[in-house]
Amino acid sequence: MAKIDVNLRKDLKPVPAVDKLGFGVHFSDHMLVMDYNPEKGWHDARIEAYAPISIDPSMMALHYGQAIFEGMKAFRAADGNINLFRARDHFRRFNKSARRVCIPELDIEEVLRFLKKLLGVDQQWVPADHGTALYIRPFIFATDQFLGVRPSHTYKLMIILSPVGAYYAEGFNPVKIMVEDEYVRAVRGGIGAIKTPGNYAASLLAAVKAQKKGFTQVLWLDAHELKWLEEVGTMNIMLKIGDEVITPPLNGSILPGITRDSTIKILKGWNVPVVEKQISIDEVMQAGRDGSLQEMFGTGTAAVISPVASIHYKDSSVSINQGQVGELSQKLFDEITAIQYGSKEDVNGWIDTITVR
Ligand SMILES: *Cc1c(COP(=O)(O)O)cnc(C)c1O
């Protein structure tokens, strides 16, 4: 079994107060680092002080975007232990992302063991208040010093940790979304189904445009016909129309969300009909107008469930459930978070517990 070097820092930072956490602004004391080269494979795993790194200006990731990332969370259970949510599934997706952009895959069990070690070292960074969590960001980038397009020979893996505040500290805040009918996020056969930085660069202009017009998020349509729903912002999308929950299928241009998967499994367990099928923006606007569109929500690790208040498409708007949080959205949020904090039994084997002394 590969071993990991642990170099603890002595100058520990103060952990910010829970009401000052925000999202993605504070980072813990340590980070996990591992290197890859063709001779040794992934090697030299180490935990060291969180600190800036030095990179060469010709480092390939900066020029050609050969890089991937993940986003998962750990929660403080009532007994003080740490619950890591669906980490294996996140690392499996990380490896799928790696394959698509020619990055060498990781040994999932090994990296999971290293991550647990890191969480043990920085355990005081897992906040305890309900709604808070420790956001975990693994990422890999190409490190060859070279100009020219080809897969890099060397890579670096890092995992950094960020304590995050309650997304809904003041209760749910249903979002106003704008349907983007000019720019697209991703095309089938491209890189839309993996977490790679280029997808997010491609999304910025539309997000800025939507925000200027007073909307919170962009609802993306498919790249070929600008007709079929894809995703909302960096979340998967679900709609309750009549008695059925509808979500776009994983057809190659949308991200296979872990929260999407958790939601589908929970709904099935409740005998709520869930269908993965293409749904057009015209159908959605029609269902909004005739009242059959009862609820709409995004799913993602950051917000878990993000209710949609209204949709704006071309020159018309529809509001959903009078802009209020739907019953099913609330129930799903409560169920998923209860499993994450350990107040509800984990029947699906989604939790890895890290015991804290
Ligand atoms: C990460 C992400 C999601 C949500 O995935 P989760 O695994 O549920 O966090 C959805 N869409 C995009 C584009 C994403 O980057």
Side-chain angles (χ1 to χ4, degrees):
M1 221 163 42
K3 66 172 204 27
I4 180 161
D5 267 357
V6 180
N7 294 301
L8 298 184
R9 67 194 288 171
K10 294 195 177 63
D11 55 331
L12 296 185
K13 301 183 275 190
V15 180
V18 255
D19 59 327
K20 299 279 182 318
L21 289 177
F23 196 100
V25 286
H26 299 286
F27 299 96
S28 74
D29 284 314
H30 297 90
M31 60 187 184
L32 181 95
V33 189
M34 219 171 158
D35 294 301
Y36 178 92
N37 67 35
E39 298 74 44
K40 295 185 181 168
W42 283 109
H43 66 281
D44 202 11
R46 57 208 186 266
I47 287 171
E48 56 191 41
Y50 181 98
I53 54 171
S54 161
I55 55 175
D56 192 273
S58 71
M59 186 184 79
M60 287 184 81
L62 294 177
H63 302 271
Y64 311 111
Q66 198 193 5
I68 53 170
F69 67 93
E70 262 306 321
M72 63 183 113
K73 277 176 169 175
F75 302 84
R76 181 76 68 177
D79 60 7
N81 289 331
I82 297 168
N83 284 348
L84 184 54
F85 189 67
R86 302 198 69 173
R88 275 186 188 78
D89 295 316
H90 281 281
F91 282 123
R92 265 185 219 120
R93 185 173 69 188
F94 201 31
N95 269 349
K96 273 204 327 215
S97 298
R99 279 199 291 280
R100 179 63 181 83
V101 293
C102 301
I103 289 174
E105 290 176 50
L106 296 160
D107 177 327
I108 292 175
E109 291 308 316
E110 185 176 273
V111 72
L112 184 57
R113 186 161 53 83
F114 296 159
L115 170 59
K116 287 180 180 175
K117 181 94 191 168
L118 176 66
L119 290 172
V121 165
D122 274 353
Q123 68 87 11
Q124 74 278 12
W125 286 86
V126 184
D129 292 46
H130 196 77
T132 65
L134 185 72
Y135 186 76
I136 301 166
R137 167 55 57 87
F139 57 109
I140 298 176
F141 53 98
T143 53
D144 277 10
Q145 298 168 17
F146 178 68
L147 295 183
V149 178
R150 59 151 173 82
S152 179
H153 303 307
T154 60
Y155 299 88
K156 195 178 281 294
L157 159 75
M158 305 184 89
I159 303 183
I160 57 175
L161 310 174
S162 174
V164 297
Y167 213 88
Y168 298 113
E170 273 107 47
F172 269 127
N173 186 15
V175 294
K176 288 166 66 181
I177 59 176
M178 192 193 91
V179 182
E180 176 55 54
D181 60 1
E182 179 185 0
Y183 303 113
V184 298
R185 193 191 80 94
V187 297
R188 214 174 310 143
I191 51 174
I194 67 166
K195 275 182 134 58
T196 189
N199 288 329
Y200 306 86
S203 76
L204 296 175
L205 189 55
V208 169
K209 184 173 121 185
Q211 273 150 22
K212 274 194 193 137
K213 293 183 176 171
F215 300 95
T216 329
Q217 297 270 4
V218 170
L219 176 62
W220 298 102
L221 299 177
D222 77 287
H224 299 279
E225 300 176 71
L226 284 168
K227 171 177 178 181
W228 308 100
L229 266 64
E230 295 249 307
E231 301 196 60
V232 54
T234 56
M235 290 181 288
N236 294 111
I237 188 75
M238 300 209 177
L239 306 99
K240 181 165 185 275
I241 298 182
D243 292 331
E244 210 171 56
V245 175
I246 301 168
T247 192
L250 302 177
N251 61 5
S253 56
I254 71 173
L255 210 280
I258 307 289
T259 320
R260 175 187 183 279
D261 183 74
S262 304
T263 303
I264 291 173
K265 291 206 166 91
I266 288 169
L267 288 172
K268 287 186 172 160
W270 291 343
N271 293 316
V272 174
V274 199
V275 279
E276 297 177 56
K277 68 169 189 199
Q278 285 203 314
I279 179 161
S280 72
I281 185 59
D282 293 329
E283 283 174 79
V284 173
M285 296 303 281
Q286 182 52 40
R289 282 189 289 267
D290 70 23
S292 57
L293 175 55
Q294 298 168 4
E295 297 186 36
M296 182 166 172
F297 52 91
T299 66
T301 294
V304 187
I305 299 289
S306 180
V308 174
S310 64
I311 328 171
H312 184 83
Y313 177 53
K314 296 196 193 283
D315 294 319
S316 59
S317 288
V318 291
S319 102
I320 302 160
N321 198 31
Q322 287 99 47
Q324 301 302 303
V325 182
E327 199 181 313
L328 191 65
S329 309
Q330 182 72 55
K331 207 174 148 201
L332 281 164
F333 179 82
D334 294 344
E335 179 78 7
I336 296 173
T337 52
I339 297 168
Q340 291 172 328
Y341 290 100
S343 58
K344 190 124 196 181
E345 196 194 346
D346 168 33
V347 291
N348 295 293
W350 287 342
I351 303 286
D352 273 282
T353 299
I354 295 134
T355 309
V356 174
R357 292 168 314 273

